[in-house]
Amino acid sequence: MRITCFIGSSRENGNTEILTDIVTKDIQHQKINLRKLNIKPIHDLRHDVNGFQPVDDDYDQIIEAFMESDLLVFSTPVYWYTMSGLMKNMVDRISHAIRDNRYPQFREQLKTKNAIVVTVGGDDPYIKGLPLIQQFKYTFDFLDINFPAYIIGEGHRPGDISQDKQAITQANLLNEKLKEVIAKGSF
């Protein structure tokens, strides 16, 4: 099973990335730090007679990671009660990717994917992070991506996630579950 983690934090080794690292501990995976890529915002040309045009940025790496992976881990802090701008920009560009003539099977391949969301916030995230989870659920429903799990954690300052015993326990349990799934070969 191929796993790719998309890290949407603007801070290196932030709370969300730490929690994601627990989920993927001792599991082979690819980590893509969105803050290190040049991903331009979407220029919506869905209704233009010429449609979307190729964009000179790093988004093809995202498309290829999506296509090569069985499990996609969306790791984003709760920023203003939703996903980070880095993550939102990546998600918005899916509109372009599903219409990209260079990847004619992209939309169909998404139907074979599984997704997990890992998020950490500082302002009552167990309640205020739920709209972020719902936003991802609607996105995954639209794309027919299976969404078996999510984890919400709480952390105000760097490293605070280590104090959230509930989130750490959930991350460790998910790690064990992923190892079982990998051994079986499917969800």
Side-chain angles (χ1 to χ4, degrees):
M1 172 177 289
R2 295 190 60 146
I3 300 171
T4 299
C5 300
F6 299 99
I7 308 298
S9 177
S10 60
R11 182 175 61 214
E12 191 161 344
N13 298 315
N15 287 311
T16 308
E17 188 171 355
I18 291 168
L19 194 58
T20 302
D21 288 345
I22 294 169
V23 169
T24 57
K25 183 179 180 193
D26 300 324
I27 296 174
Q28 185 176 2
H29 65 283
Q30 171 184 212
K31 187 187 285 191
I32 297 178
N33 288 295
L34 299 178
R35 71 181 169 278
K36 294 182 179 180
L37 298 179
N38 173 29
I39 299 175
K40 295 180 180 175
I42 190 164
H43 181 195
D44 188 354
L45 297 170
R46 286 177 293 163
H47 306 291
D48 186 90
V49 71
N50 295 317
F52 285 103
Q53 301 301 309
V55 178
D56 184 22
D57 67 359
D58 297 327
Y59 199 75
D60 286 355
Q61 291 177 39
I62 302 299
I63 296 172
E64 290 164 15
F66 267 78
M67 292 182 1
E68 295 169 356
S69 301
D70 303 297
L71 175 63
L72 308 167
V73 180
F74 294 82
S75 176
T76 177
V78 179
Y79 281 176
W80 290 102
Y81 313 103
T82 190
M83 65 184 75
S84 70
L86 292 167
M87 182 68 65
K88 182 69 168 91
N89 198 33
M90 182 191 84
V91 171
D92 283 351
R93 285 286 298 280
I94 293 173
S95 292
H96 183 176
I98 61 177
R99 294 167 177 84
D100 193 321
N101 293 330
R102 297 171 301 151
Y103 304 100
Q105 297 302 314
F106 184 63
R107 178 76 187 253
E108 282 302 309
Q109 285 186 10
L110 291 177
K111 295 176 182 180
T112 68
K113 309 303 177 186
N114 295 285
I116 292 171
V117 175
V118 178
T119 189
V120 177
D123 183 15
D124 197 13
Y126 287 102
I127 298 298
K128 295 180 180 178
L130 291 175
L132 175 151
I133 299 301
Q134 192 68 53
Q135 181 181 24
F136 273 110
K137 178 166 180 5
Y138 290 146
T139 299
F140 300 148
D141 286 350
F142 178 79
L143 296 169
D144 293 316
I145 295 174
N146 185 39
F147 183 31
Y150 67 87
I151 298 175
I152 298 175
E154 184 169 5
H156 299 271
R157 300 185 55 75
D160 276 359
I161 191 61
S162 64
Q163 304 304 309
D164 185 341
K165 301 304 180 198
Q166 178 179 329
I168 298 297
T169 298
Q170 289 177 335
N172 281 313
L173 289 171
L174 185 52
N175 175 266
E176 291 174 21
K177 177 67 175 170
L178 287 177
K179 288 176 181 173
E180 290 173 14
V181 166
I182 290 167
K184 278 192 334 187
S186 67
F187 271 91

